[in-house]
Amino acid sequence: MITLADISKNFGSTRAVNEISFTVREGETLILLGTSGCGKTTTLKMINRLIEPDSGTISINGQAISREKPEFLRRRIGYVMQNIGLFPHYTVAENIAVVPKLLKWNKEKTRERILELIEKLRLPNDCMNLFPHQLSGGQQQRVGLARALVADPAILLMDEPFGALDNVTRSGIQSEFKALEELKRKTIVMVTHDVQEAFELADRICLMDCGKIVQIGAPKDLLYKPASEFARKFLDSQRLALEFKVVTIKDIWEFLPVNILRGKVNALSATTDVWSAMEILSSTLNDKVQLFSDPETQQTKVINFQELSGAFHSYKQTRSHD
Amino acid sequence: MIEQQQSLWSFITEQADKLLAQTLQHLGLTFISLLLAIAIGLPLGILIARRGKLAGSVLGVAGVLQTIPSIALLGFMIPLLGIGAKPAIVALLIYALLPIIRNTYTGIVGIDRHIIEAANALGMSKTQILFRVELPLAMSVILAGIRTATVINVGVATLASFIAAGGLGEFIFGGISLNNSNMILAGAIPAALLAVILDFLLSRVQKLDFRKLRKVLYLIPLLILLLGGFYLLPATYGSKLKAGFTPEFMGRQDGDLGLKSVYGLEIPTTVISDAVMYKAAYEGELDVISGYSTDGRLKAFGLTILKDDKGIFPPYYAAPIVRQASLDKFSGLEDVLNLLAGKINDSLMTDLNYRTDYLKQTPERVAKDFLIREGLYKSPRNGHAGIVRIGSKIFGEQYILAEMYRMLIKGNTEYDVSTKTGLGGTKICFDALMNDQIDFYPEYTGTGLLVLLQPDPRVAKEIAHDRNRTYSYVKTTFQKKYQIRWLKPIGFNNTYALMMRKKQSEALNVSTITALKKYIDRN
Ligand SMILES: Nc1ncnc2c1ncn2[C@@H]1O[C@H](COP(=O)(O)OP(=O)(O)OP(=O)(O)O)[C@@H](O)[C@H]1O
Ligand SMILES: [Mg+2]
């Protein structure tokens, strides 16, 4: 658990971070979202003491981090940089092995761990002895992630980790990232200015503006309960797409018609979001019909694309009357 | 050309021992100073990379040091460190410093700051960042600096011979003053080769990738130490007396060679430049030096001349040499120039030189004072009957003589005068005279004989010991060969001489070269 209490940081006359406080729960993914220059990176870097706050305290599991030697603190916090920052004079293996070396692991243990990560992160097997400049941008980013994960830190800080990638590569890595078992146990603080990415990956989003927190909460809250005009406007341009992503089958369950089951079809969980369901329906050859079941009530419904989109609109209508 | 090469080769084979010793000394000087420069420059470069505020001033100071002309820097070193290896190494070290500090600094500062940030974020300490990230990434830039420093040092180390620190400069500068191109080449070619080879080797090291570099980097300090070790100081002196001779003197029959063959004088000798030799003798760094008998510093530094009792130093009587055409053109010029004939003896000339060289009086004032004292001075007539062009070589005595002649001509004739002083060496002066760019300049009989006429060595040897025969030989030969007239000698003999401190000479009771030899043999 990470706690920031009344943290401020000035650079000369620029107030980069202005009295912010928040808590990141164990195993949670918190995403710092906001326009360029609003203090996201500064906030992130204060957590591993790359930047020292002017006032306020940061603690991890109740221990103030200012008590610990910065080097030791950083060795137990994974950090993925926007610019990747791989060492050009080290091979991939050596880059990943930096922290194990600092922690004085033996060679065998280090090697096994590197091989494990290379496989998990789907890096080519023969890349161990290549230098960073011999890899593609996406591969470099994976090596950066492997380097941060190698000592299995409980906390992972990520500064726009996918910022430098093209859209296709980015959504590929994003979904792999989401699926990565190793990350599910970790407390993650991630910075982005990409709203889609934030909604895709966050448990909670911390929306910032001019060094202050505008709103902190679950993606759905940001969408339907904006705390201010700024928060509402910030999401406006992508609202529809975000809603498709945030709303699940379960949310619109009551608006879906009940149909008779004919033949055998695949069942999807009701926690699937509307966006994914539409993607499946529009790509399937299976008579544009799929079956959904609600694990709690054990109900199943068979629907087609039109019925899905109709239910979504009815749901929206009732939300906006709330 | 072929003949030249063959004789160069034979010179090299003849002098192989000396050449090897000089090359090793040269390498030694270069690498000891390089090692020290790295030991100082690298930490300094790292420091200013860490504390940006210091960078400007440190680089500024190193830059200024770099711009001090090398000879001047060597000169500054002498009062502080004397002569020999120490001041030479310090001077070279100073030259090597700037490229090493600057490249270390730019190499480290130039590293992508995100990489340093990553190193920090992974939990490396400052020292770990320095050795694992900063130095390896800056290494090729730092090596480029070391490479530059090495090449500079190989070049500047040739000047070390000026202050008795040895190296290939002994041949180069000896050869230049002796007008012996084989000797120059025997020094210059190895020096150039050293620079090229070292530059090439370091460029290879620089291109190695980091992995191999790591291994090579451990070897480099060892290698440098080893090469530095070649420089064993000539510390095994047998006798208590030390001699310092100019490179020119070392190679001349009427110099060190004559001292060995005629007198059998064996004295531990270092090669040193004329500019610092007198001072070194004064300060007791050297006991016996080769000098010029009318040099003002003789007086300034309390030195005395040892009598050349076996007559190995030929006479160098000064006299104006004039184009016959000019004598015909400017009637009465000969009489005016002869006004100085026989007027200045050795000690008088030494005194006049002392005034300019040591008391820093202008040649003009010294000349005028002298003419007034001798009753020769007349106010200028400011005539315009034609311009007489006077030349002089580039040292004090010649400036004084040129001034005297200028005043005499302007006071006694209707002619105007232009002076072309400081015409480099003998060759330049004489060429100017032959090409009708000047009308006359003061020359020395010995120089006329041995440098300009260069007669058959047997002839030279026979006549060179007799002042009158030398004078009449150059006079008749110049007239015949060049239509140039030697007027009457001025009186002093500016010849080579061996000198000692007056006090030491009296204490040891050594006043002739033979006595010196006997003293050395006894001890
Ligand atoms: N080292 C620094 N020195 C001076 N000003 C700084 C420094 N770092 C950040 N700032 C300023 O502090 C403010 C916040 O910077 P920060 O890097 O935290 O923004 P950000 O939200 O990460 O922006 P971006 O999305 O563009 O990365 C900006 O106005 C920036 O100019
Ligand atoms: Mg940022």
Side-chain angles (χ1 to χ4, degrees), chain A residues 11 14 16 34-43 82 159-160 191 193:
Chain A
F11 293 109
T14 314
T35 47
S36 187
C38 70
K40 306 182 293 292
T41 299
T42 308
T43 305
Q82 175 167 10
D159 193 353
E160 308 204 22
V191 165
H193 58 244

Side-chain angles (χ1 to χ4, degrees), chain B residues 169-383:
Chain B
E170 287 189 7
F171 271 161
I172 298 176
F173 294 103
I176 289 175
S177 28
L178 292 171
N179 198 13
N180 178 342
S181 33
N182 286 332
M183 200 187 226
I184 299 176
L185 291 176
I189 293 175
L193 279 179
L194 278 187
V196 170
I197 292 171
L198 290 174
D199 187 52
F200 173 75
L201 289 179
L202 283 170
S203 78
R204 296 302 295 259
V205 173
Q206 206 184 333
K207 286 202 189 92
L208 287 181
D209 81 57
F210 175 69
R211 225 142 298 279
K212 293 188 195 121
L213 199 58
R214 258 193 283 204
K215 286 179 201 127
V216 176
L217 282 182
Y218 295 118
L219 285 176
I220 285 182
L222 281 179
L223 205 68
I224 291 179
L225 267 181
L226 192 71
L227 289 170
F230 283 139
Y231 195 75
L232 298 170
L233 305 176
T236 48
Y237 287 127
S239 143
K240 287 184 199 102
L241 293 184
K242 274 183 280 177
F245 297 152
T246 60
E248 177 174 3
F249 188 83
M250 287 301 285
R252 289 180 78 131
Q253 189 56 47
D254 57 330
D256 190 49
L257 302 177
L259 284 177
K260 285 209 170 73
S261 62
V262 177
Y263 284 98
L265 187 70
E266 295 289 346
I267 182 167
T269 305
T270 44
V271 179
I272 187 165
S273 107
D274 165 72
V276 299
M277 185 173 63
Y278 294 89
K279 190 132 193 263
Y282 170 68
E283 285 168 350
E285 303 254 7
L286 299 170
D287 302 299
V288 181
I289 60 170
S290 65
Y292 294 102
S293 52
T294 58
D295 198 298
R297 288 170 291 188
L298 197 62
K299 185 169 169 184
F301 290 125
L303 304 175
T304 188
I305 294 176
L306 300 183
K307 194 163 184 301
D308 174 23
D309 49 337
K310 292 191 181 169
I312 60 163
F313 301 133
Y316 282 79
Y317 284 91
I321 61 173
V322 199
R323 296 166 52 78
Q324 184 59 51
S326 305
L327 288 177
D328 298 343
K329 184 173 159 197
F330 302 109
S331 66
L333 180 63
E334 182 172 355
D335 292 339
V336 174
L337 297 185
N338 277 336
L339 284 173
L340 270 192
K343 282 285 189 309
I344 308 176
N345 64 20
D346 288 6
S347 61
L348 204 48
M349 194 67 237
T350 307
D351 181 54
L352 297 179
N353 282 333
Y354 171 70
R355 288 169 187 235
T356 54
D357 293 350
Y358 206 74
L359 301 181
K360 304 296 174 204
Q361 297 177 354
T362 62
E364 190 182 350
R365 169 162 168 216
V366 174
K368 192 166 170 183
D369 286 353
F370 171 80
L371 290 181
I372 290 171
R373 215 170 44 223
E374 294 289 318
L376 290 171
Y377 186 76
K378 288 184 185 159
S379 335
R381 294 197 204 164
N382 295 324

Side-chain angles (χ1 to χ4, degrees), chain B residues 62-122:
Chain B
V64 167
L65 289 176
Q66 182 91 346
T67 60
I68 301 175
S70 16
I71 297 273
L73 189 59
L74 289 171
F76 289 146
M77 290 295 150
I78 291 167
L80 300 174
L81 297 168
I83 58 168
K86 247 188 289 169
I89 289 173
V90 173
L92 289 175
L93 153 76
I94 285 174
Y95 279 112
L97 223 42
L98 178 67
I100 293 176
I101 298 178
R102 190 186 45 207
N103 282 40
T104 306
Y105 171 73
T106 47
I108 291 177
V109 168
I111 299 171
D112 183 353
R113 71 185 171 81
H114 295 115
I115 290 170
I116 304 299
E117 182 169 75
N120 266 312
L122 290 170

Side-chain angles (χ1 to χ4, degrees), chain A residues 155-224:
Chain A
I155 297 170
L156 188 61
L157 307 178
M158 308 177 87
D159 193 353
E160 308 204 22
F162 313 119
L165 304 178
D166 65 89
N167 282 336
V168 177
T169 319
R170 178 198 305 208
S171 59
I173 295 190
Q174 271 173 7
S175 49
E176 281 169 29
F177 177 84
K178 233 172 134 178
L180 214 59
E181 208 48 53
E182 192 150 330
L183 290 173
K184 295 202 171 133
R185 319 175 243 125
K186 293 199 188 304
T187 308
I188 299 175
V189 182
M190 183 169 139
V191 165
T192 184
H193 58 244
D194 178 340
V195 180
Q196 295 271 2
E197 184 171 280
F199 273 70
E200 190 97 15
L201 303 176
D203 293 322
R204 284 193 303 151
I205 292 174
C206 172
L207 181 63
M208 293 179 66
D209 182 36
C210 298
K212 289 201 168 227
I213 296 178
V214 176
Q215 185 171 9
I216 186 162
K220 217 187 274 179
D221 294 341
L222 258 74
L223 205 53
Y224 295 113

Side-chain angles (χ1 to χ4, degrees), chain A residues 45 74-75 79 85 89 94 131, chain B residues 117-118 120-121 123 132 211:
Chain A
K45 280 184 185 171
R74 290 171 195 153
R75 285 173 202 175
Y79 185 70
H89 58 303
E94 287 169 329
F131 285 90
Chain B
E117 182 169 75
N120 266 312
R132 297 186 192 182
R211 225 142 298 279

Side-chain angles (χ1 to χ4, degrees), chain B residues 117-182:
Chain B
E117 182 169 75
N120 266 312
L122 290 170
M124 287 192 186
S125 67
K126 284 260 176 291
T127 326
Q128 286 166 334
I129 293 177
L130 178 66
F131 285 103
R132 297 186 192 182
V133 181
E134 289 177 317
L135 286 182
L137 288 177
M139 194 45 74
S140 81
V141 182
I142 295 174
L143 281 173
I146 292 178
R147 192 175 149 198
T148 313
T150 310
V151 176
I152 292 177
N153 268 8
V154 172
V156 179
T158 54
L159 300 177
S161 64
F162 281 153
I163 52 169
L168 290 162
E170 287 189 7
F171 271 161
I172 298 176
F173 294 103
I176 289 175
S177 28
L178 292 171
N179 198 13
N180 178 342
S181 33
N182 286 332

